[in-house]
PDB file of all heavy atoms in Angstrom:
ATOM      1  N   GLY A 287      90.805 -84.171 -14.386  1.00  0.00           N
ATOM      2  CA  GLY A 287      91.768 -84.183 -13.242  1.00  0.00           C
ATOM      3  C   GLY A 287      92.680 -82.935 -13.322  1.00  0.00           C
ATOM      4  O   GLY A 287      92.833 -82.306 -14.371  1.00  0.00           O
ATOM      5  N   LEU A 288      93.248 -82.556 -12.071  1.00  0.00           N
ATOM      6  CA  LEU A 288      94.172 -81.478 -11.980  1.00  0.00           C
ATOM      7  C   LEU A 288      95.505 -82.013 -11.629  1.00  0.00           C
ATOM      8  O   LEU A 288      95.653 -82.781 -10.682  1.00  0.00           O
ATOM      9  CB  LEU A 288      93.688 -80.433 -10.916  1.00  0.00           C
ATOM     10  CG  LEU A 288      94.536 -79.350 -10.476  1.00  0.00           C
ATOM     11  CD1 LEU A 288      94.673 -78.318 -11.735  1.00  0.00           C
ATOM     12  CD2 LEU A 288      94.158 -78.572  -9.284  1.00  0.00           C
ATOM     13  N   PHE A 289      96.467 -81.637 -12.432  1.00  0.00           N
ATOM     14  CA  PHE A 289      97.905 -82.148 -12.250  1.00  0.00           C
ATOM     15  C   PHE A 289      98.870 -80.998 -11.890  1.00  0.00           C
ATOM     16  O   PHE A 289      98.979 -80.070 -12.740  1.00  0.00           O
ATOM     17  CB  PHE A 289      98.333 -82.836 -13.550  1.00  0.00           C
ATOM     18  CG  PHE A 289      97.379 -84.007 -13.942  1.00  0.00           C
ATOM     19  CD1 PHE A 289      96.217 -83.746 -14.568  1.00  0.00           C
ATOM     20  CD2 PHE A 289      97.756 -85.392 -13.666  1.00  0.00           C
ATOM     21  CE1 PHE A 289      95.348 -84.881 -14.966  1.00  0.00           C
ATOM     22  CE2 PHE A 289      96.990 -86.353 -14.136  1.00  0.00           C
ATOM     23  CZ  PHE A 289      95.734 -86.105 -14.689  1.00  0.00           C
ATOM     24  N   ILE A 290      99.346 -80.937 -10.678  1.00  0.00           N
ATOM     25  CA  ILE A 290     100.212 -79.879 -10.322  1.00  0.00           C
ATOM     26  C   ILE A 290     101.649 -80.347 -10.320  1.00  0.00           C
ATOM     27  O   ILE A 290     102.047 -81.350  -9.720  1.00  0.00           O
ATOM     28  CB  ILE A 290      99.894 -79.498  -8.764  1.00  0.00           C
ATOM     29  CG1 ILE A 290      98.350 -79.067  -8.783  1.00  0.00           C
ATOM     30  CG2 ILE A 290     100.838 -78.391  -8.331  1.00  0.00           C
ATOM     31  CD1 ILE A 290      97.951 -78.773  -7.307  1.00  0.00           C
ATOM     32  N   LYS A 291     102.373 -79.682 -11.142  1.00  0.00           N
ATOM     33  CA  LYS A 291     103.851 -80.023 -11.490  1.00  0.00           C
ATOM     34  C   LYS A 291     104.755 -80.219 -10.205  1.00  0.00           C
ATOM     35  O   LYS A 291     105.274 -81.315 -10.071  1.00  0.00           O
ATOM     36  CB  LYS A 291     104.470 -79.005 -12.373  1.00  0.00           C
ATOM     37  CG  LYS A 291     105.728 -79.430 -12.970  1.00  0.00           C
ATOM     38  CD  LYS A 291     106.140 -78.449 -14.072  1.00  0.00           C
ATOM     39  CE  LYS A 291     107.682 -78.547 -14.307  1.00  0.00           C
ATOM     40  NZ  LYS A 291     108.262 -77.189 -14.632  1.00  0.00           N
ATOM     41  N   ALA A 292     104.687 -79.262  -9.322  1.00  0.00           N
ATOM     42  CA  ALA A 292     105.513 -79.321  -8.121  1.00  0.00           C
ATOM     43  C   ALA A 292     105.102 -80.364  -7.113  1.00  0.00           C
ATOM     44  O   ALA A 292     105.958 -80.733  -6.323  1.00  0.00           O
ATOM     45  CB  ALA A 292     105.584 -77.949  -7.455  1.00  0.00           C
ATOM     46  N   LEU A 293     103.862 -80.911  -7.324  1.00  0.00           N
ATOM     47  CA  LEU A 293     103.410 -82.010  -6.534  1.00  0.00           C
ATOM     48  C   LEU A 293     103.480 -83.327  -7.258  1.00  0.00           C
ATOM     49  O   LEU A 293     102.673 -84.275  -6.971  1.00  0.00           O
ATOM     50  CB  LEU A 293     102.031 -81.733  -5.935  1.00  0.00           C
ATOM     51  CG  LEU A 293     101.889 -80.404  -5.096  1.00  0.00           C
ATOM     52  CD1 LEU A 293     100.500 -80.282  -4.636  1.00  0.00           C
ATOM     53  CD2 LEU A 293     102.966 -80.380  -3.919  1.00  0.00           C
ATOM     54  N   ASN A 294     104.347 -83.413  -8.379  1.00  0.00           N
ATOM     55  CA  ASN A 294     104.435 -84.559  -9.118  1.00  0.00           C
ATOM     56  C   ASN A 294     103.166 -85.094  -9.727  1.00  0.00           C
ATOM     57  O   ASN A 294     102.882 -86.248  -9.769  1.00  0.00           O
ATOM     58  CB  ASN A 294     105.090 -85.737  -8.335  1.00  0.00           C
ATOM     59  CG  ASN A 294     106.428 -85.308  -7.888  1.00  0.00           C
ATOM     60  OD1 ASN A 294     107.321 -84.758  -8.682  1.00  0.00           O
ATOM     61  ND2 ASN A 294     106.868 -85.834  -6.716  1.00  0.00           N
ATOM     62  N   GLY A 295     102.300 -84.096 -10.128  1.00  0.00           N
ATOM     63  CA  GLY A 295     101.068 -84.440 -10.822  1.00  0.00           C
ATOM     64  C   GLY A 295      99.837 -84.659  -9.842  1.00  0.00           C
ATOM     65  O   GLY A 295      98.733 -85.026 -10.215  1.00  0.00           O
ATOM     66  N   PHE A 296      99.982 -84.585  -8.552  1.00  0.00           N
ATOM     67  CA  PHE A 296      99.002 -84.702  -7.526  1.00  0.00           C
ATOM     68  C   PHE A 296      98.035 -83.490  -7.778  1.00  0.00           C
ATOM     69  O   PHE A 296      98.499 -82.385  -8.065  1.00  0.00           O
ATOM     70  CB  PHE A 296      99.574 -84.551  -6.131  1.00  0.00           C
ATOM     71  CG  PHE A 296      98.646 -84.537  -5.021  1.00  0.00           C
ATOM     72  CD1 PHE A 296      98.116 -85.693  -4.455  1.00  0.00           C
ATOM     73  CD2 PHE A 296      98.031 -83.381  -4.484  1.00  0.00           C
ATOM     74  CE1 PHE A 296      97.112 -85.673  -3.425  1.00  0.00           C
ATOM     75  CE2 PHE A 296      97.147 -83.270  -3.527  1.00  0.00           C
ATOM     76  CZ  PHE A 296      96.645 -84.417  -2.927  1.00  0.00           C
ATOM     77  N   PRO A 297      96.753 -83.598  -7.543  1.00  0.00           N
ATOM     78  CA  PRO A 297      95.967 -84.862  -7.309  1.00  0.00           C
ATOM     79  C   PRO A 297      95.548 -85.715  -8.401  1.00  0.00           C
ATOM     80  O   PRO A 297      94.911 -86.733  -8.377  1.00  0.00           O
ATOM     81  CB  PRO A 297      94.600 -84.290  -6.617  1.00  0.00           C
ATOM     82  CG  PRO A 297      94.428 -82.893  -7.282  1.00  0.00           C
ATOM     83  CD  PRO A 297      95.740 -82.360  -7.546  1.00  0.00           C
ATOM     84  N   GLY A 298      95.875 -85.230  -9.704  1.00  0.00           N
ATOM     85  CA  GLY A 298      95.530 -85.997 -10.982  1.00  0.00           C
ATOM     86  C   GLY A 298      94.181 -86.487 -10.928  1.00  0.00           C
ATOM     87  O   GLY A 298      93.163 -85.752 -10.674  1.00  0.00           O
ATOM     88  N   PRO A 299      93.931 -87.825 -11.233  1.00  0.00           N
ATOM     89  CA  PRO A 299      92.621 -88.400 -11.304  1.00  0.00           C
ATOM     90  C   PRO A 299      91.900 -88.405 -10.035  1.00  0.00           C
ATOM     91  O   PRO A 299      90.694 -88.749  -9.968  1.00  0.00           O
ATOM     92  CB  PRO A 299      92.781 -89.781 -11.983  1.00  0.00           C
ATOM     93  CG  PRO A 299      94.193 -89.990 -11.750  1.00  0.00           C
ATOM     94  CD  PRO A 299      94.961 -88.778 -11.512  1.00  0.00           C
ATOM     95  N   TYR A 300      92.493 -88.086  -8.919  1.00  0.00           N
ATOM     96  CA  TYR A 300      91.822 -88.122  -7.579  1.00  0.00           C
ATOM     97  C   TYR A 300      91.345 -86.823  -7.109  1.00  0.00           C
ATOM     98  O   TYR A 300      91.164 -86.502  -5.955  1.00  0.00           O
ATOM     99  CB  TYR A 300      92.862 -88.810  -6.536  1.00  0.00           C
ATOM    100  CG  TYR A 300      93.433 -90.067  -7.019  1.00  0.00           C
ATOM    101  CD1 TYR A 300      94.797 -90.266  -7.400  1.00  0.00           C
ATOM    102  CD2 TYR A 300      92.557 -91.192  -7.208  1.00  0.00           C
ATOM    103  CE1 TYR A 300      95.171 -91.389  -7.930  1.00  0.00           C
ATOM    104  CE2 TYR A 300      93.094 -92.298  -7.643  1.00  0.00           C
ATOM    105  CZ  TYR A 300      94.467 -92.453  -8.113  1.00  0.00           C
ATOM    106  OH  TYR A 300      94.897 -93.694  -8.605  1.00  0.00           O
ATOM    107  N   ALA A 301      91.243 -85.934  -8.125  1.00  0.00           N
ATOM    108  CA  ALA A 301      90.851 -84.619  -7.814  1.00  0.00           C
ATOM    109  C   ALA A 301      89.575 -84.414  -7.037  1.00  0.00           C
ATOM    110  O   ALA A 301      89.540 -83.522  -6.097  1.00  0.00           O
ATOM    111  CB  ALA A 301      90.688 -83.745  -9.224  1.00  0.00           C
ATOM    112  N   SER A 302      88.683 -85.241  -7.264  1.00  0.00           N
ATOM    113  CA  SER A 302      87.262 -85.126  -6.682  1.00  0.00           C
ATOM    114  C   SER A 302      87.486 -85.484  -5.046  1.00  0.00           C
ATOM    115  O   SER A 302      86.911 -84.693  -4.312  1.00  0.00           O
ATOM    116  CB  SER A 302      86.325 -86.129  -7.326  1.00  0.00           C
ATOM    117  OG  SER A 302      85.249 -86.125  -6.610  1.00  0.00           O
ATOM    118  N   TYR A 303      88.282 -86.476  -4.909  1.00  0.00           N
ATOM    119  CA  TYR A 303      88.481 -86.890  -3.517  1.00  0.00           C
ATOM    120  C   TYR A 303      89.237 -85.840  -2.721  1.00  0.00           C
ATOM    121  O   TYR A 303      88.956 -85.359  -1.561  1.00  0.00           O
ATOM    122  CB  TYR A 303      89.212 -88.240  -3.474  1.00  0.00           C
ATOM    123  CG  TYR A 303      89.429 -88.752  -1.954  1.00  0.00           C
ATOM    124  CD1 TYR A 303      88.381 -89.141  -1.222  1.00  0.00           C
ATOM    125  CD2 TYR A 303      90.722 -88.790  -1.506  1.00  0.00           C
ATOM    126  CE1 TYR A 303      88.518 -89.608   0.014  1.00  0.00           C
ATOM    127  CE2 TYR A 303      90.919 -89.203  -0.166  1.00  0.00           C
ATOM    128  CZ  TYR A 303      89.856 -89.586   0.579  1.00  0.00           C
ATOM    129  OH  TYR A 303      90.027 -89.966   1.916  1.00  0.00           O
ATOM    130  N   VAL A 304      90.273 -85.335  -3.460  1.00  0.00           N
ATOM    131  CA  VAL A 304      91.103 -84.218  -2.700  1.00  0.00           C
ATOM    132  C   VAL A 304      90.370 -83.010  -2.476  1.00  0.00           C
ATOM    133  O   VAL A 304      90.310 -82.366  -1.489  1.00  0.00           O
ATOM    134  CB  VAL A 304      92.371 -84.012  -3.641  1.00  0.00           C
ATOM    135  CG1 VAL A 304      93.137 -82.816  -3.152  1.00  0.00           C
ATOM    136  CG2 VAL A 304      93.290 -85.277  -3.586  1.00  0.00           C
ATOM    137  N   TYR A 305      89.456 -82.694  -3.451  1.00  0.00           N
ATOM    138  CA  TYR A 305      88.671 -81.489  -3.338  1.00  0.00           C
ATOM    139  C   TYR A 305      87.681 -81.638  -2.068  1.00  0.00           C
ATOM    140  O   TYR A 305      87.611 -80.732  -1.282  1.00  0.00           O
ATOM    141  CB  TYR A 305      87.877 -81.187  -4.549  1.00  0.00           C
ATOM    142  CG  TYR A 305      87.017 -79.919  -4.493  1.00  0.00           C
ATOM    143  CD1 TYR A 305      87.674 -78.606  -4.449  1.00  0.00           C
ATOM    144  CD2 TYR A 305      85.688 -79.946  -4.088  1.00  0.00           C
ATOM    145  CE1 TYR A 305      86.957 -77.435  -4.139  1.00  0.00           C
ATOM    146  CE2 TYR A 305      84.941 -78.774  -3.875  1.00  0.00           C
ATOM    147  CZ  TYR A 305      85.590 -77.620  -3.979  1.00  0.00           C
ATOM    148  OH  TYR A 305      84.871 -76.375  -3.684  1.00  0.00           O
ATOM    149  N   LYS A 306      87.192 -82.868  -2.015  1.00  0.00           N
ATOM    150  CA  LYS A 306      86.137 -83.122  -0.873  1.00  0.00           C
ATOM    151  C   LYS A 306      86.871 -83.103   0.459  1.00  0.00           C
ATOM    152  O   LYS A 306      86.198 -82.840   1.434  1.00  0.00           O
ATOM    153  CB  LYS A 306      85.438 -84.430  -1.110  1.00  0.00           C
ATOM    154  CG  LYS A 306      84.220 -84.285  -1.993  1.00  0.00           C
ATOM    155  CD  LYS A 306      83.513 -85.662  -2.010  1.00  0.00           C
ATOM    156  CE  LYS A 306      83.153 -85.987  -3.509  1.00  0.00           C
ATOM    157  NZ  LYS A 306      83.183 -87.297  -3.713  1.00  0.00           N
ATOM    158  N   THR A 307      88.138 -83.531   0.500  1.00  0.00           N
ATOM    159  CA  THR A 307      88.788 -83.698   1.795  1.00  0.00           C
ATOM    160  C   THR A 307      89.531 -82.481   2.221  1.00  0.00           C
ATOM    161  O   THR A 307      89.238 -81.805   3.194  1.00  0.00           O
ATOM    162  CB  THR A 307      89.758 -84.960   1.737  1.00  0.00           C
ATOM    163  OG1 THR A 307      90.595 -84.866   0.569  1.00  0.00           O
ATOM    164  CG2 THR A 307      89.011 -86.244   1.687  1.00  0.00           C
ATOM    165  N   ILE A 308      90.563 -82.006   1.457  1.00  0.00           N
ATOM    166  CA  ILE A 308      91.424 -80.924   1.863  1.00  0.00           C
ATOM    167  C   ILE A 308      90.878 -79.596   1.169  1.00  0.00           C
ATOM    168  O   ILE A 308      91.233 -78.508   1.729  1.00  0.00           O
ATOM    169  CB  ILE A 308      92.857 -81.095   1.754  1.00  0.00           C
ATOM    170  CG1 ILE A 308      93.299 -81.280   0.242  1.00  0.00           C
ATOM    171  CG2 ILE A 308      93.371 -82.301   2.561  1.00  0.00           C
ATOM    172  CD1 ILE A 308      94.805 -81.295   0.053  1.00  0.00           C
ATOM    173  N   GLY A 309      90.243 -79.782   0.089  1.00  0.00           N
ATOM    174  CA  GLY A 309      89.748 -78.453  -0.696  1.00  0.00           C
ATOM    175  C   GLY A 309      90.811 -77.556  -1.129  1.00  0.00           C
ATOM    176  O   GLY A 309      92.051 -77.859  -1.131  1.00  0.00           O
ATOM    177  N   ASN A 310      90.353 -76.321  -1.635  1.00  0.00           N
ATOM    178  CA  ASN A 310      91.243 -75.349  -2.099  1.00  0.00           C
ATOM    179  C   ASN A 310      92.250 -74.925  -1.144  1.00  0.00           C
ATOM    180  O   ASN A 310      93.404 -74.755  -1.335  1.00  0.00           O
ATOM    181  CB  ASN A 310      90.523 -74.288  -2.705  1.00  0.00           C
ATOM    182  CG  ASN A 310      89.955 -74.666  -4.073  1.00  0.00           C
ATOM    183  OD1 ASN A 310      90.358 -75.489  -4.795  1.00  0.00           O
ATOM    184  ND2 ASN A 310      88.742 -73.973  -4.309  1.00  0.00           N
ATOM    185  N   LYS A 311      91.760 -74.651   0.211  1.00  0.00           N
ATOM    186  CA  LYS A 311      92.646 -74.258   1.112  1.00  0.00           C
ATOM    187  C   LYS A 311      93.817 -75.165   1.402  1.00  0.00           C
ATOM    188  O   LYS A 311      94.927 -74.866   1.660  1.00  0.00           O
ATOM    189  CB  LYS A 311      91.897 -73.961   2.447  1.00  0.00           C
ATOM    190  CG  LYS A 311      90.954 -72.820   2.198  1.00  0.00           C
ATOM    191  CD  LYS A 311      90.571 -72.074   3.613  1.00  0.00           C
ATOM    192  CE  LYS A 311      89.948 -70.707   3.267  1.00  0.00           C
ATOM    193  NZ  LYS A 311      89.060 -70.715   2.147  1.00  0.00           N
ATOM    194  N   GLY A 312      93.386 -76.437   1.481  1.00  0.00           N
ATOM    195  CA  GLY A 312      94.443 -77.516   1.702  1.00  0.00           C
ATOM    196  C   GLY A 312      95.392 -77.618   0.595  1.00  0.00           C
ATOM    197  O   GLY A 312      96.734 -77.819   0.851  1.00  0.00           O
ATOM    198  N   VAL A 313      95.132 -77.545  -0.658  1.00  0.00           N
ATOM    199  CA  VAL A 313      96.035 -77.416  -1.812  1.00  0.00           C
ATOM    200  C   VAL A 313      96.909 -76.211  -1.728  1.00  0.00           C
ATOM    201  O   VAL A 313      98.211 -76.363  -1.844  1.00  0.00           O
ATOM    202  CB  VAL A 313      95.225 -77.461  -3.100  1.00  0.00           C
ATOM    203  CG1 VAL A 313      96.312 -77.252  -4.391  1.00  0.00           C
ATOM    204  CG2 VAL A 313      94.540 -78.772  -3.299  1.00  0.00           C
ATOM    205  N   LEU A 314      96.369 -75.098  -1.389  1.00  0.00           N
ATOM    206  CA  LEU A 314      97.220 -73.924  -1.198  1.00  0.00           C
ATOM    207  C   LEU A 314      98.206 -74.109  -0.087  1.00  0.00           C
ATOM    208  O   LEU A 314      99.320 -73.604  -0.153  1.00  0.00           O
ATOM    209  CB  LEU A 314      96.363 -72.591  -0.880  1.00  0.00           C
ATOM    210  CG  LEU A 314      95.577 -72.172  -2.201  1.00  0.00           C
ATOM    211  CD1 LEU A 314      94.785 -70.903  -1.804  1.00  0.00           C
ATOM    212  CD2 LEU A 314      96.434 -72.038  -3.393  1.00  0.00           C
ATOM    213  N   LYS A 315      97.804 -74.708   0.971  1.00  0.00           N
ATOM    214  CA  LYS A 315      98.729 -75.027   2.040  1.00  0.00           C
ATOM    215  C   LYS A 315      99.873 -75.946   1.669  1.00  0.00           C
ATOM    216  O   LYS A 315     101.026 -75.672   1.906  1.00  0.00           O
ATOM    217  CB  LYS A 315      97.827 -75.670   3.193  1.00  0.00           C
ATOM    218  CG  LYS A 315      98.581 -75.948   4.560  1.00  0.00           C
ATOM    219  CD  LYS A 315      98.013 -74.921   5.640  1.00  0.00           C
ATOM    220  CE  LYS A 315      98.819 -74.979   6.799  1.00  0.00           C
ATOM    221  NZ  LYS A 315      99.557 -73.757   7.120  1.00  0.00           N
ATOM    222  N   LEU A 316      99.558 -76.919   0.850  1.00  0.00           N
ATOM    223  CA  LEU A 316     100.614 -77.764   0.359  1.00  0.00           C
ATOM    224  C   LEU A 316     101.544 -77.060  -0.527  1.00  0.00           C
ATOM    225  O   LEU A 316     102.746 -77.547  -0.660  1.00  0.00           O
ATOM    226  CB  LEU A 316      99.934 -78.900  -0.501  1.00  0.00           C
ATOM    227  CG  LEU A 316      99.165 -80.058   0.167  1.00  0.00           C
ATOM    228  CD1 LEU A 316      98.606 -80.952  -0.872  1.00  0.00           C
ATOM    229  CD2 LEU A 316     100.120 -80.878   1.061  1.00  0.00           C
ATOM    230  N   MET A 317     101.001 -76.029  -1.133  1.00  0.00           N
ATOM    231  CA  MET A 317     101.979 -75.207  -1.980  1.00  0.00           C
ATOM    232  C   MET A 317     102.544 -73.956  -1.413  1.00  0.00           C
ATOM    233  O   MET A 317     103.189 -73.147  -2.072  1.00  0.00           O
ATOM    234  CB  MET A 317     101.270 -74.937  -3.287  1.00  0.00           C
ATOM    235  CG  MET A 317     100.873 -76.216  -4.090  1.00  0.00           C
ATOM    236  SD  MET A 317     100.360 -75.916  -5.689  1.00  0.00           S
ATOM    237  CE  MET A 317     101.778 -75.155  -6.493  1.00  0.00           C
TER     238      MET A 317
END
Side-chain angles (χ1 to χ4, degrees):
L288 175 67
F289 301 78
I290 301 173
K291 191 174 158 210
L293 304 179
N294 298 325
F296 176 88
Y300 309 109
S302 176
Y303 182 69
V304 168
Y305 183 74
K306 276 187 224 143
T307 50
I308 63 171
N310 287 330
K311 293 209 167 32
V313 172
L314 291 182
K315 187 110 191 112
L316 286 175
M317 294 193 67

